[in-house]
Amino acid sequence: MSLFDDDRPQKKTAHEIGSDLSLLSVDELAARIDLLRAEIDRLESEKTKKGASRSAAESLFR
């Protein structure tokens, strides 16, 4: 066992909607904002893919 915890794997930052933000540092808030922006991009990409699939299916059955 190491004297320092630096060798341990870092926990993946997660954000729970509505959680208390008062104990977070500015850097932690920025990290959460980046995390949420990346998740929004991922969701929008998936929405676009599903919209294209749906449009293709609707045009096939017309």
Side-chain angles (χ1 to χ4, degrees):
M1 183 170 169
S2 174
L3 293 175
F4 302 103
D5 291 338
D6 294 341
D7 296 338
R8 291 178 147 176
Q10 295 291 321
K11 275 189 174 181
K12 187 173 182 180
T13 303
H15 180 75
E16 184 179 331
I17 304 297
S19 63
D20 182 16
L21 304 176
S22 64
L23 299 176
L24 299 176
S25 70
V26 172
D27 289 339
E28 290 171 321
L29 289 168
R32 291 204 183 181
I33 289 169
D34 291 341
L35 175 73
L36 291 169
R37 284 188 178 140
E39 183 65 5
I40 289 169
D41 290 342
R42 188 176 78 90
L43 290 166
E44 287 179 341
S45 175
E46 188 65 23
K47 179 182 165 190
T48 301
K49 284 185 211 173
K50 288 187 183 232
S53 295
R54 182 176 181 170
S55 294
E58 286 176 351
S59 68
L60 181 65
F61 291 108
R62 285 188 184 179

